[in-house]
Structure formats: C-alpha cells, structure tokens
Amino acid sequence: MTTPDPAPALTVGNIALSFHRAVAAVTRRVLQAHGHRVNSIEAPHEQLFQLQAAGQVDVLVSAWLPSSHDGYLAGYRDEVRLLAPHYEPYCLWAVPPYVPLEAVGEVADLVRPEVAARMTRGIDGINPGAGISRFSARMVTAYGLDRAGYTFTPGNEPGFTARVERGIADREWFVIPLWRPQYLNRLHGLRAIAEPKGLLGTVDAAGPVVRREVLDRVHPDALTRLDALRLGNDGVEELDTMINADGLTPLQAADRYLASRPELLP
C-alpha cells in the first residue's frame, strides 16, 4: 500500500434519512481525525448506490445486507470493499404503546373486524426505494390487508415523522412501517408486532462500502478504525435522537457522541 497523501479528499455519501446522516457524520469525523478532507453527498437509496457505481462516492454509509440493499450493490460488488458492520438494523411494523397487545399482537390481527374498525387503514411509509417500503407494499397483499381496506403509500421522511407525531398526539390507532435504529422507537416506545410470514427480511449488517480504487488513498489507521467501529442500534438511535429531538446537526451529534467515547478517535 502506498503512503497516503497527507490530506486527500474523500467523498462520503449517505442515504437521505436522518439516522444515515448521523452515521455518516461519525464516519466523517473518523476520517477527518486522520487528516482527510471530506466532501459529503446524499441521495435516496437506489440513487446513492448508482452514484457510487459511477465513481462519484468513495465511501457509502451504509449498505444494509443482505435484505434491504443487496440488489442495489450487486452490479458492482467486485469494485468495493465492505467494512465490518457498525450496527444491525431490521425492519418492523409497529403500533403505538397504547394499542393493547391483546388487540394487535401480529400483522394478521389488523384484519379482525373489531380491530379494522378502529385502525386508520392508510399506512404511510418513507420513499419507495427503501427496503421497508418495498416489503410493506407486498405485505398489504400477502396478509389480505387490502381486502380489509388498508393501503400503503410511500412518502418522504418529514411527512412520515409528522404522521407519527400527529397520530400519537391524537391517540390514534395506526400501524407504522418502521425499522431499528430510528429515533421514534426511543421517543415514543412504539411496539413491534409479529410478522410470521418473514416478509420484512432478516436482521441486516450495516457497514460502510469503500471503492477499491480509493483504498490506497485512505489513511490505514482510519480504515482500521472504521472497520472496528461498533455503534450498535442503540448508539445510532442515540445519535438520531440528538438530531431530531435535541435539534443538533449531524456533525454536532457526532461530536457529542464521540466526546463521551474518546476511544473511538485517535
């Protein structure tokens, strides 16, 4: 491996969701701590992988594998190195904590007449390229929810979070396609419901994706630290809560998080 430039510029790309911004901010700080200048770019799921395949993103944060993003990475997997996972995400459907477990314990319960009569049957999601959105659209048909009047509509993150906040404030009975890590879990105590058909995928491994052609430009110690970085779902939700509940920018959240964990930086 050649000696890296003292401060080579790298482009870190993240999926355009708040918790991905949080993990990208930590990644940026690790790279900057080893002398790198970092440019940032963000895009929706599929588009971000296309940008990396085209050579416009050096470090992508993060690929959820195998369930959510494997198809996006498949066309250029031999051109990248996958680092070890920073956290272990998974998709879920959830209801507010005031919806009784005996009423809604699993997805199939949503079609029971006495439950369907109380539930809001419009199910709102995030952008259509997200794994949770693709999975949820299939679930509406697979569980016969459409026959009970349920619909799934993808949207954007601001609309999605506003919908949850509004529903909680009104003590509405609703189901929300969600995932961990996501700050709404921590803020509102949303309760996952069982999904026995397995349509929500597996627990994924979420780690950075680095283009092989830039590996010799990344400071070796930075690469080692990123490969060893373990945030966990709780850590990512802590960062995401700082951004969405405390009003910090992603870099401010990363700085606060790292300040209490000095072992993560040199």
Side-chain angles (χ1 to χ4, degrees), residues 115-210:
V115 172
R118 290 203 60 176
M119 296 291 293
T120 297
R121 281 171 275 181
I123 302 171
D124 296 300
I126 55 171
N127 58 296
I132 182 61
S133 294
R134 303 194 313 271
F135 304 153
S136 296
R138 292 199 297 265
M139 284 170 60
V140 170
T141 301
Y143 280 94
L145 300 179
D146 51 345
R147 296 193 297 273
Y150 290 90
T151 58
F152 171 74
T153 304
N156 56 43
E157 186 179 31
F160 171 82
T161 55
R163 188 270 171 276
V164 174
E165 299 286 359
R166 183 177 66 252
I168 293 286
D170 294 343
R171 292 191 67 82
E172 175 188 348
W173 280 36
F174 65 99
V175 63
I176 194 76
L178 200 57
W179 60 92
R180 283 207 69 204
Q182 219 281 348
Y183 83 99
L184 292 168
N185 294 290
R186 176 179 292 219
L187 194 63
H188 295 303
L190 299 172
R191 176 173 61 80
I193 61 176
E195 194 278 288
K197 293 184 185 292
L199 300 179
L200 284 170
T202 62
V203 175
D204 277 338
V209 183
V210 185

Side-chain angles (χ1 to χ4, degrees), residues 20-231:
H20 283 297
R21 294 184 190 108
V23 180
V26 174
T27 301
R28 285 182 60 183
R29 288 308 196 214
V30 172
L31 291 169
Q32 289 169 339
H34 290 86
H36 287 285
R37 291 172 290 116
V38 179
N39 303 314
S40 296
I41 188 171
E42 73 171 39
H45 297 72
E46 186 173 8
Q47 182 182 345
L48 186 69
F49 286 87
Q50 292 170 345
L51 289 171
Q52 188 174 47
Q56 297 180 47
V57 172
D58 299 319
V59 182
L60 183 150
V61 183
S62 303
W64 288 23
L65 303 172
S67 295
S68 288
H69 302 154
D70 189 65
Y72 298 153
L73 189 61
Y76 69 103
R77 187 184 288 265
D78 59 348
E79 300 173 19
V80 297
R81 175 178 164 186
L82 306 178
L83 301 189
H86 290 171
Y87 59 101
E88 296 75 37
Y90 56 90
C91 296
L92 58 104
W93 274 19
V95 294
Y98 50 77
V99 176
L101 176 62
E102 59 269 22
V104 183
E106 62 176 89
V107 175
D109 289 336
L110 296 171
V111 303
R112 291 165 49 203
E114 66 274 19
V115 172
R118 290 203 60 176
M119 296 291 293
T120 297
R121 281 171 275 181
I123 302 171
D124 296 300
I126 55 171
N127 58 296
I132 182 61
S133 294
R134 303 194 313 271
F135 304 153
S136 296
R138 292 199 297 265
M139 284 170 60
V140 170
T141 301
Y143 280 94
L145 300 179
D146 51 345
R147 296 193 297 273
Y150 290 90
T151 58
F152 171 74
T153 304
N156 56 43
E157 186 179 31
F160 171 82
T161 55
R163 188 270 171 276
V164 174
E165 299 286 359
R166 183 177 66 252
I168 293 286
D170 294 343
R171 292 191 67 82
E172 175 188 348
W173 280 36
F174 65 99
V175 63
I176 194 76
L178 200 57
W179 60 92
R180 283 207 69 204
Q182 219 281 348
Y183 83 99
L184 292 168
N185 294 290
R186 176 179 292 219
L187 194 63
H188 295 303
L190 299 172
R191 176 173 61 80
I193 61 176
E195 194 278 288
K197 293 184 185 292
L199 300 179
L200 284 170
T202 62
V203 175
D204 277 338
V209 183
V210 185
R211 287 192 62 86
R212 291 191 180 277
E213 65 185 24
V214 304
L215 283 172
D216 63 353
R217 291 170 43 207
V218 181
H219 192 292
D221 292 341
L223 201 61
T224 297
R225 284 188 180 271
L226 287 177
D227 205 28
L229 182 64
R230 300 292 179 270
L231 300 173

